[in-house]
Amino acid sequence: DTLCATMDTLMGEYLISAEADRLKLDPTSEDDLRLAYQLFRERFRSQQIYLSFLNQLELSQTELLGILARHIRVEKLVTNRVKSRVNVLPREVEQYYRSQPSRFRDRAEARAHLIALRQSKVLRQWLNDLSQRIPVTRIALANEQGKMEFYCTE
């Protein structure tokens, strides 16, 4: 299931990136890319571990920067299109909190959860709409070792 969830995430990012291209959105700024790279790089305890990670994925530094730039651009569009447009009313939060009192520490946690649920629903609908407009074929095959390999084509 983790592989399928990862594939769904990548397909969603692909669809949103294609939509960003269609809308002719500005590319990621150098400052945003520099910060994203710095934060990503800080996840590794040493340069050797970082380079080993890139090597394992057969990924160059240039390719990594491209992935980070695409991710930033996608996140900005998701924020604009989905996250900033979802809100909940205080009475909805109160009702949601009271319907599951043992699940949340407080109303703020219930509110955050309710917003996340609604954003997820809006995002899924938007991705469904994009997948109807953007031609994508999803294929899963087993390689010689029996592992799944995914290919996406237009």
Side-chain angles (χ1 to χ4, degrees), residues 7 25 30 61 65 84 89 110-111 116 127-128 130 150:
M7 188 60 192
L25 297 182
E30 288 296 320
Q61 178 115 350
L65 291 172
S84 65
L89 299 172
R111 181 181 186 280
L127 289 173
N128 186 51
L130 289 175
F150 293 89

Side-chain angles (χ1 to χ4, degrees), residues 88-153:
V88 294
L89 299 172
R91 64 180 160 75
E92 294 173 312
V93 173
E94 186 63 29
Q95 181 182 7
Y96 191 63
Y97 177 71
R98 287 179 187 232
S99 71
Q100 304 175 62
S102 61
R103 184 172 185 181
F104 305 110
R105 289 185 304 252
D106 54 27
R107 285 166 182 76
E109 186 178 355
R111 181 181 186 280
H113 190 264
L114 185 56
I115 287 172
L117 285 174
R118 290 187 181 174
Q119 288 173 343
S120 179
K121 183 178 179 180
V122 170
L123 179 60
R124 279 193 313 273
Q125 181 58 52
W126 184 38
L127 289 173
N128 186 51
D129 294 345
L130 289 175
S131 71
Q132 302 303 310
R133 289 191 290 121
I134 299 170
V136 174
T137 302
R138 196 168 149 181
I139 304 168
L141 303 170
N143 65 16
E144 291 104 25
Q145 293 83 27
K147 295 182 179 176
M148 300 303 285
E149 294 179 358
F150 293 89
Y151 304 90
C152 302
T153 59

Side-chain angles (χ1 to χ4, degrees), residues 45-113:
R45 291 189 313 257
S46 71
Q47 178 74 0
Q48 183 179 3
I49 293 171
Y50 168 71
L51 293 174
S52 176
F53 170 80
L54 291 180
N55 189 43
Q56 272 185 313
L57 295 178
E58 299 177 3
L59 197 61
S60 72
Q61 178 115 350
T62 303
E63 291 167 323
L64 173 63
L65 291 172
I67 291 167
L68 290 172
R70 183 182 67 230
H71 181 74
I72 293 166
R73 194 170 180 229
V74 164
E75 277 302 308
K76 284 184 177 183
L77 185 53
V78 167
T79 296
N80 183 302
R81 176 70 194 249
V82 175
K83 292 180 180 177
S84 65
R85 296 181 181 192
V86 172
N87 205 355
V88 294
L89 299 172
R91 64 180 160 75
E92 294 173 312
V93 173
E94 186 63 29
Q95 181 182 7
Y96 191 63
Y97 177 71
R98 287 179 187 232
S99 71
Q100 304 175 62
S102 61
R103 184 172 185 181
F104 305 110
R105 289 185 304 252
D106 54 27
R107 285 166 182 76
E109 186 178 355
R111 181 181 186 280
H113 190 264

